[in-house]
Amino acid sequence: MTVTIVGSQLGDEGKGGIVDLYGDDVDVVARYQGGDNAGHTVVHEGEEYKLSLVPSGAIRGKVGVLGNGCVVNPRTLFDEIDTLQERGLDPDVRIAERAHVILPFHRVLDGIEEELKSETDDEVGTTGRGIGPTYEDKAGRRGVRVGDLLDPDVLRERLEYVVPQKRAVVEDVYDLDVDELDDPDAFDVDAIFEEFREFGRRFEAEDMTVNAGAFLSATIDEGQNVMLEGAQGTIIDIDHGNYPYVTSSNPTAGGAATGTGLSPGVVGDGEVIGIVKAYLTRVGSGPLPTELGGVVGDTPGYDEQGEGENEELANYIREEGGEYGTVTGRPRRVGWLDLPMLRHSTRVSGFTGIAINHLDVLAGLDEVKVGHTYTLDGEELASMPATTEQWKRCEANLKSFDGWPEIDWADAADEGYDALPENAKAYVEYIESELDTPAYAIGVGPGRGETIVREHPF
Ligand code: GDP
Ligand code: IMO
Ligand code: MG
């Protein structure tokens, strides 16, 4: 069977930790979208691993697959694999031949477009990894796929088509001189060909490429368990998120089918677990109706967002939760949990269960609030409106919960759900009841042992 792990909010909900938690019963872990914009943290035997591309299950020695829905930067991938090997692990990673390759010019173009948009405060606040430009070329039918790296003739032919177009975009659209960019080789067919052909040889030598759909289907037919690891989160999904402040792929459950080659029936026969952080964080721009304010440094788009209000509280939660971007180190914006957002995510992906993380981070506060509904133009809304302009105008109707004390969380995780403070249980049960979805797991710390497990999905 399959279990699909989906971020229910804006990324960084603790997906990596939950993939790891349930990883024992799994044979294969497959990522279905995104690229090295992801940063998933796994704490294994006291060691912290921050993974951008290697699926989180690889830490436990499971086979990791990067599905066709992913965009793969081989530079990052091999760096990550080499680093893990230096730390004594031997990750077994297979890459879909249909996955698209992030080429050097994609990263440069990501930067140029963000820079241009920042002149009018319209930047998305991307991770700068070239994610959007690579998916653009995929949709534009001018991309290079992992399978193309294995065939020098095809690789050269595709580069000779696409690279001059990108040079022209830089020079004619952005009015910049390619030779004066930091990395002019990013737009040089020969330089790219040499480097990426070498990556192709390594893929071949280490037998790393697969037809992901066929490979994963065969795995399921043999009765093995497959975990589908989403990156990012529902509200930065390109279709169901707050466009244009989104990533360029589908983190929601539908993406698990298109991004792996498993049928929607196979994904739907399994469980879909929504990962919920007990409050909200966001890196990058865009509205956030329950935002608390108080970002350290200069997060794009922040100035518009209720600066100053509850700043101390936001700073407190940010420090307690270590809320700094895994990939970019940016301070994360902080807000209260947002139920209209979660009702939307639950509907889009059909969560069969949820995992609520970071309950420990809120411990010690006198009062914990949630956005229960929104008011938009005098009307009460239970779920998110479809346009970002409307969402920006939504006022959150807050509901207040009594806080819960700091306790020994590892002990509580050992003892089980009943060991949680009463007020923390009331918070969990409110979320379960509003979403009509049971909490399979409750995270009370970053380690594998700091999770209360109520249900094993496999
Ligand atoms: P992901 O991108 O969804 O995998 O999440 P990240 O790894 O980017 O961010 C989650 C951070 O919170 C990591 O540093 C985790 O180790 C940590 N974490 C995960 N679950 C919990 C939890 O329940 N409590 C606390 N305090 N930290 C957690
Ligand atoms: P994980 O998997 C949080 C955000 C960026 C930006 C927007 C678009 O660790 O949850 P992109 O580089 O993807 O074009 O940026 O999406 N973003 C994330 N935010 N967690 C992530 O991944 C993210 N990946 C992208 O900050 O706002
Ligand atoms: Mg992350």
Side-chain angles (χ1 to χ4, degrees):
M1 71 173 283
T2 62
V3 170
T4 303
I5 300 294
V6 177
S8 69
Q9 295 153 327
L10 295 136
D12 305 326
E13 301 91 346
K15 297 176 291 289
I18 299 295
V19 171
D20 176 62
L21 176 75
Y22 290 130
D24 232 5
D25 300 325
V26 169
D27 300 290
V28 176
V29 178
R31 282 265 312 264
Y32 55 87
Q33 44 69 235
D36 55 341
N37 48 349
H40 296 179
T41 313
V42 176
V43 181
H44 173 67
E45 290 171 358
E47 293 254 339
E48 188 179 66
Y49 298 89
K50 292 189 174 295
L51 305 168
S52 277
L53 271 174
V54 172
S56 299
I59 300 300
R60 281 182 179 262
K62 309 295 174 173
V63 175
V65 174
L66 293 175
N68 56 277
C70 294
V71 287
V72 181
N73 187 333
R75 288 179 179 170
T76 324
L77 177 67
F78 286 126
D79 272 356
E80 200 163 285
I81 290 174
D82 293 345
T83 305
L84 289 172
Q85 282 173 346
E86 281 159 24
R87 292 178 71 178
L89 299 177
D90 187 19
D92 179 352
V93 185
R94 322 283 175 90
I95 329 293
E97 281 150 15
R98 288 185 162 94
H100 279 249
V101 179
I102 301 181
L103 294 165
F105 55 78
H106 289 126
R107 276 178 88 126
V108 178
L109 289 165
D110 193 349
I112 292 176
E113 183 152 16
E114 283 282 280
E115 181 74 30
L116 180 69
K117 284 184 169 176
S118 75
E119 289 172 13
T120 49
D121 275 342
D122 287 321
E123 72 272 35
V124 175
T126 71
T127 59
R129 298 298 189 265
I131 304 297
T134 307
Y135 279 113
E136 255 179 77
D137 282 346
K138 170 179 175 175
R141 297 166 294 200
R142 68 182 84 83
V144 170
R145 305 205 293 180
V146 167
D148 301 337
L149 302 184
L150 309 183
D151 183 329
D153 294 337
V154 174
L155 177 61
R156 184 167 279 283
E157 197 180 314
R158 299 199 67 82
L159 290 175
E160 277 174 359
Y161 178 76
V162 71
V163 174
Q165 286 195 17
K166 299 299 163 180
R167 287 188 87 95
V169 167
V170 170
E171 301 194 330
D172 302 339
V173 177
Y174 296 116
D175 206 18
L176 296 169
D177 186 343
V178 166
D179 296 317
E180 282 176 16
L181 296 174
D182 288 344
D183 181 16
D185 277 357
F187 295 83
D188 183 291
V189 171
D190 291 332
I192 302 173
F193 177 83
E194 287 310 321
E195 183 183 4
F196 283 73
R197 181 57 199 128
E198 197 47 47
F199 289 137
R201 284 197 197 94
R202 183 164 170 189
F203 279 140
E204 231 164 7
E206 298 181 22
D207 200 15
M208 289 175 75
T209 62
V210 286
N211 179 340
F215 177 78
L216 292 170
S217 298
T219 306
I220 301 230
D221 289 346
E222 285 163 19
Q224 301 193 51
N225 288 329
V226 175
M227 179 99 76
L228 304 172
E229 176 180 355
Q232 289 82 48
T234 305
I235 309 307
I236 51 176
D237 180 290
I238 191 161
D239 286 282
H240 306 289
N242 70 132
Y243 193 89
Y245 304 109
V246 293
T247 191
S248 298
S249 65
N250 288 120
T252 45
T258 51
T260 57
L262 289 171
S263 78
V266 169
V267 174
D269 272 348
E271 298 251 14
V272 179
I273 304 181
I275 314 303
V276 177
K277 187 179 272 190
Y279 47 93
L280 283 188
T281 58
R282 170 165 213 167
V283 277
S285 325
L288 202 59
T290 58
E291 181 155 28
L292 282 165
V295 169
V296 185
D298 126 70
T299 298
Y302 167 63
D303 290 350
E304 302 165 27
Q305 322 287 334
E307 184 169 4
E309 203 189 334
N310 294 315
E311 194 158 334
E312 239 174 75
L313 193 51
N315 289 337
Y316 171 83
I317 294 174
R318 182 175 308 106
E319 294 313 314
E320 287 292 302
E323 296 296 356
Y324 292 86
T326 308
V327 175
T328 58
R330 292 178 290 179
R332 295 175 181 151
R333 296 161 59 192
V334 176
W336 293 127
L337 191 71
D338 183 324
L339 266 292
M341 179 187 286
L342 291 180
R343 293 185 192 103
H344 171 73
S345 311
T346 303
R347 181 184 57 73
V348 171
S349 289
F351 299 147
T352 54
I354 53 175
I356 304 175
N357 282 327
H358 298 86
L359 212 59
D360 56 305
V361 175
L362 298 177
L365 297 176
D366 291 337
E367 188 185 25
V368 175
K369 294 185 187 172
V370 302
H372 177 67
T373 56
Y374 297 146
T375 298
L376 176 65
D377 300 333
E379 236 182 277
E380 190 179 23
L381 300 185
S383 189
M384 281 178 70
T387 75
T388 298
E389 288 64 33
Q390 287 176 318
W391 192 42
K392 197 172 175 173
R393 290 193 289 111
C394 283
E395 252 178 66
N397 300 311
L398 298 176
K399 185 177 163 68
S400 179
F401 288 80
D402 289 333
W404 48 89
E406 195 68 62
I407 58 167
D408 186 320
W409 297 106
D411 278 359
D414 277 345
E415 284 171 44
Y417 184 69
D418 283 338
L420 278 182
E422 286 307 315
N423 291 343
K425 282 196 274 191
Y427 191 71
V428 167
E429 286 160 24
Y430 162 78
I431 301 168
E432 289 182 299
S433 139
E434 289 297 321
L435 304 181
D436 195 18
T437 308
Y440 285 181
I442 295 157
V444 292
R448 195 181 291 154
E450 292 163 314
T451 312
I452 295 169
V453 185
R454 295 162 90 194
E455 195 75 52
H456 285 276
F458 285 107

